Amino acid sequence: MEQVLPPDAAAVLGQARRVVVFTGAGISAESGVPTFRDDLTGLWARFDALQLATPEAFHADPDLVWGWYEWRRARVRRAEPNPGHLATAAIEALLPGTVVITQNVDDLHERAGSRSPVHLHGSLFAPRCVAEAAHPAPLPETVAKPARPATLPVTIASADHPAALPETVDGETADPGEGGRVPPPRCTRCGALVRPGVVWFGEALPEAALTTAVEAAAGCDVLLTVGTSGVVYPAAEIPRIAARSGATVIQVNPEPTPLDRVCAINLRGTAAQVLPALVA
Ligand code: BJW
């Protein structure tokens, strides 16, 4: 379906010098990767975040949590970038100073050609040792290879610190199914468990990523916020920082969100419909 945009949206973007594209789960929805909070289809409509996405949950039942992330990793591997991801990469190509900031833990921006998206909530493809603070960069080649290696923030392959991932098939992990339990591998440097490299509730965001995101938001003249409910902090501050700093904030989302009132332009449509029309 062809998307008709308000005439000013593409013009505002076309005149911008410093652009930030801030994305959430909605941009990957049309690739078949579920969002978190959509009714019926969102992950939190089907699974309990407190049992799966907190450090306490992993401590209480590591096999359940690791199995769930293996299932999600397998789904992402099967997914392909959609026109929303491709349009984001096209914006970067047109305006080389563009910064892509994503809350997503998938690798679809990278596979669409985005150079180095800032991952505020980590990556499915960068698992790490729970005792990482004692020794950085712990993981082996066999853990969580991305579908197509690109410029990923993958924390793998430390020759002096190998660990083995169970159920590997040609370098890929088997899909345990959504409720499957899979024991996490152990770090062979220290014997501690390997955990998903994502940011769970109650955990600090990666400092460098957050600093980059805040600085980019404060210094941009247009911020596009795409496919996020804007309710998870501190990430949800990013569009608000841009608005407070004088940027024009444009939102792409089929539904209203709490960000509506900080956005100068609200484009009600899906990422795969609206973003290609913005760069056409
Ligand atoms: C489409 C579409 C299509 C659909 N096209 N659009 C201040 C106030 C209140 C609470 C807090 C606060 N500060 C901190 C908190 C607590 C908490 C928080 O924010 N809780 C709120 C939920 C109430 N935050 C934290 O705990 C954070 N940590 C922290 O603050 O630490 C402090 C600290 C400091 C120092 C030391 C120690 C601690 C961490 C938050 C981590 C979030 N983690 C998750 C899981 C990641 C791992 C995983 O994937 O399993 O991140 S939760 C989940 O939500 C995931 C997402 O990145 C994040 C945001 O979700 P997103 O992307 O917005 O998705 P949805 O589903 O919510 O929305 C999708 C949108 O797309 C919808 O609007 C749709 O309409 C739309 N859509 N189809 C375009 N085709």
Side-chain angles (χ1 to χ4, degrees), residues 25 30 36-37 69 72 103 121 199 202-203 228-229 233 253 271:
E30 286 155 290
F36 293 91
R37 295 174 186 80
Y69 279 94
R72 287 182 51 202
Q103 297 165 85
H121 291 161
V199 180
E203 293 189 308
T228 179
S229 56
Y233 286 83
N253 199 312

Side-chain angles (χ1 to χ4, degrees), residues 183-265:
R186 290 207 171 254
C187 171
T188 55
R189 178 178 290 182
C190 71
L193 292 176
V194 168
R195 56 156 286 178
V198 301
V199 180
W200 284 322
F201 287 112
E203 293 189 308
L205 276 58
E207 199 178 321
L210 187 57
T211 301
T212 302
V214 168
E215 287 176 358
C220 69
D221 38 43
V222 172
L223 182 142
L224 270 171
T225 175
V226 184
T228 179
S229 56
V231 299
V232 176
Y233 286 83
E237 277 295 340
I238 297 302
R240 293 174 168 96
I241 290 169
R244 282 199 298 274
S245 306
T248 303
V249 181
I250 302 173
Q251 177 167 233
V252 178
N253 199 312
E255 303 292 336
T257 78
L259 292 172
D260 284 13
R261 60 194 174 81
V262 302
C263 294
I265 302 173

Side-chain angles (χ1 to χ4, degrees), residues 64 99 167 218 224:
L64 179 73
V99 179
E167 301 185 49
L224 270 171

